[in-house]
């Protein structure tokens, strides 16, 4: 199926159906007929699976300053996995455009993939993949992941969600769909429209307040903030009595990763996360 076919389907659909229906039909059509099963194609797509594929702008020109996030949870728990960059059209200015962060019940940097390196193996509960570009001189990629070994079937409930729009702020903790009896790991990624902020004196600002009720200062319940632009930066591990109810403020031109852990048998953390793109110039 080529682009012309898709256009014909789109136009026919527009003529025949109301907007909502035709969007559903087209996406259903493309998903079932164009792409292999378990394929992530849009910034913010998430998956719970041991194997799958990310296919983003393959053979299509990307934009400069893209900051596109894909989130993966391994279905079986703690897994040794291999990520392979099957195909890419990256320009030299974007030679290492893919950054992979492993979920070790907390976020860690693993490696970059691109023109110099196409494969990596590591252990984790999942991964966050970020595609970041400096130029618009290349085309996108296909990246796949497969399990090598299921190490432990220990699993955590929770959500992986990208917020790339200020209208979704504020976010309250506990997250609505969290069920409270079990351990919860949430990963929230926050960007400004899935782009690096390039305007001068302009930042994505983040405010975080948590009430942990942690009388033992165990820090088993926590909210951990990282930012990423050119490298992963730990901003703050917020937990314990000292941080209880304190407002923490952060700023980046890239992305915020918010890891929220709720442990078994501890008071439920409550709190609020707000963000806004702010120009200080
Ligand atoms: C994922 O693994 C299953 C079972 O091993 C296999 O049948 C399937 O083809 C794999 N899918 C991908 C996208 O690699
Ligand atoms: C992308 O281009 C390659 C090489 O020309 C081709 O083999 C592949 O089928 C193309 N994929 C898509 C999805 O257009
Ligand atoms: C992209 O730009 C950033 C900031 O100037 C730089 O740190 C990074 O090395 C560049 N990446 C490549 C692949 O040139
Ligand atoms: C963060 O809190 C400060 C102090 O209350 C406030 O001035 C600012 O607008 C807040 N920023 C965001 C992004 O909510
Ligand atoms: C091709 C296709 O799936 N068409 C469906 C589009 O959506 C309408 C309304 O839900 C269905 O009636 C069509 O069968």
């Amino acid at each position: 199926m080529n682009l012309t076919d898709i256009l014909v389907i789109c136009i026919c659909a527009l003529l025949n159906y109301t907007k909502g229906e035709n969007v559903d039909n087209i996406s259903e059509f493309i998903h079932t007929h164009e792409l292999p099963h378990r394929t992530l194609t849009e910034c913010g797509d998430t998956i719970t699976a041991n194997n799958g594929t990310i296919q983003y702008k393959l053979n299509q020109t990307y934009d400069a300053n893209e900051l596109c996030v894909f989130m993966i949870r391994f279905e079986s728990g703690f897994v040794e996995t291999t990520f392979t960059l099957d195909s890419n059209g990256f320009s030299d200015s974007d030679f290492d455009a893919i950054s992979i962060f492993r979920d070790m019940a907390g976020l860690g940097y693993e490696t970059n993939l691109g023109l110099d390196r196409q494969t990596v193996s590591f252990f984790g509960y999942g991964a966050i993949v970020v595609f970041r570009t400096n130029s618009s001189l290349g085309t996108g990629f296909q990246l796949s992941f497969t399990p090598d070994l299921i190490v432990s079937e220990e699993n955590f409930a929770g959500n992986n969600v990208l917020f790339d729009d200020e209208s979704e702020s504020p976010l309250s903790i506990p997250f609505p769909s969290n069920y409270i009896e079990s351990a919860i790991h949430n990963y929230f990624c926050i960007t400004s429209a899935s782009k690096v902020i390039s305007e001068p004196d302009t930042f994505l600002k983040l405010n975080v307040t948590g009430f942990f009720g942690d009388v033992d200062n165990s820090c088993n319940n926590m909210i951990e903030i990282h930012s990423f632009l050119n490298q992963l930066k730990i901003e703050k591990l917020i937990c314990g009595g000292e941080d209880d109810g304190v407002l923490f403020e952060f700023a980046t031109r890239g992305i915020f990763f918010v890891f929220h852990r709720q442990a078994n048998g501890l008071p439920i953390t409550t709190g609020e996360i707000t963000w806004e793109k702010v120009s200080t110039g």
Side-chain angles (χ1 to χ4, degrees):
M1 174 149 141
N2 60 34
L3 198 56
T4 318
D5 292 334
I6 296 177
L7 280 176
V8 168
I9 291 163
C10 293
I11 290 162
C12 294
L14 275 173
L15 292 174
N16 282 312
Y17 302 106
T18 68
K19 187 163 179 270
E21 283 165 345
N22 102 63
V23 168
D24 286 349
N25 276 358
I26 292 164
S27 62
E28 193 179 308
F29 187 91
I30 292 174
H31 278 278
T32 47
H33 297 271
E34 273 275 288
L35 298 167
H37 190 46
R38 297 181 180 166
T39 302
L40 312 182
T41 57
E42 283 172 23
C43 305
D45 277 356
T46 66
I47 193 172
T48 301
N50 289 340
N51 62 355
T53 304
I54 300 171
Q55 200 181 83
Y56 183 70
K57 296 196 174 175
L58 184 63
N59 298 351
Q60 299 167 43
T61 308
Y62 50 70
D63 298 326
N65 294 321
E66 292 211 30
L67 191 61
C68 187
V69 178
F70 303 92
M71 286 174 275
I72 298 157
R73 279 177 188 242
F74 298 137
E75 199 169 12
S76 296
F78 194 64
V79 168
E80 184 183 1
T81 184
T82 298
F83 278 70
T84 307
L85 183 58
D86 306 313
S87 173
N88 78 85
F90 297 169
S91 84
D92 289 343
S93 326
D94 304 306
F95 74 95
D96 60 353
I98 292 175
S99 300
I100 297 185
F101 305 96
R102 65 188 182 281
D103 169 3
M104 296 286 292
L107 205 63
Y109 169 72
E110 185 57 37
T111 193
N112 278 42
L113 298 181
L115 300 181
D116 290 351
R117 180 170 186 182
Q118 290 83 40
T119 184
V120 62
S121 297
F122 58 91
F123 296 92
Y125 294 99
I128 294 179
V129 174
V130 178
F131 176 61
R132 174 205 189 313
T133 60
N134 288 333
S135 80
S136 56
L137 301 172
T139 62
F141 65 94
Q142 178 174 308
L143 177 71
S144 58
F145 59 99
T146 53
D148 302 319
L149 180 69
I150 293 160
V151 181
S152 144
E153 297 200 355
E154 181 188 26
N155 241 328
F156 300 98
N159 298 89
N160 290 4
V161 190
L162 168 70
F163 297 99
D164 61 2
D165 186 338
E166 282 174 26
S167 69
E168 289 159 304
S169 167
L171 177 65
S172 292
I173 292 176
F175 199 55
S177 59
N178 288 165
Y179 46 97
I180 288 315
E181 292 77 23
S182 70
I184 289 163
H185 287 187
N186 290 320
Y187 283 90
F188 303 125
C189 297
I190 302 173
T191 72
S192 175
S194 294
K195 291 275 186 175
V196 173
I197 294 175
S198 53
E199 302 98 307
D201 304 318
T202 305
F203 295 91
L204 179 63
K205 297 213 168 177
L206 180 78
N207 285 4
V208 182
T209 310
F211 296 88
F212 303 94
D214 185 358
V215 285
D216 303 330
N217 270 330
S218 68
C219 279
N220 283 326
N221 284 354
M222 59 149 101
I223 301 172
E224 189 173 40
I225 312 292
H226 284 91
S227 63
F228 172 72
L229 182 56
N230 298 313
Q231 55 195 26
L232 187 68
K233 180 183 171 202
I234 172 85
E235 297 280 355
K236 173 85 185 149
L237 172 62
I238 307 173
C239 68
E242 202 171 288
D243 295 344
D244 219 65
V246 178
L247 169 66
F248 293 97
E249 300 185 50
F250 309 95
T252 183
R253 303 167 85 93
I255 184 167
F256 283 118
F257 298 116
V258 178
F259 171 56
H260 165 222
R261 184 173 81 189
Q262 172 71 50
N264 264 326
L266 290 183
I268 304 303
T269 300
T270 60
E272 191 172 75
I273 301 173
T274 61
W275 61 94
E276 194 182 3
K277 184 177 170 183
V278 177
S279 176
T280 57

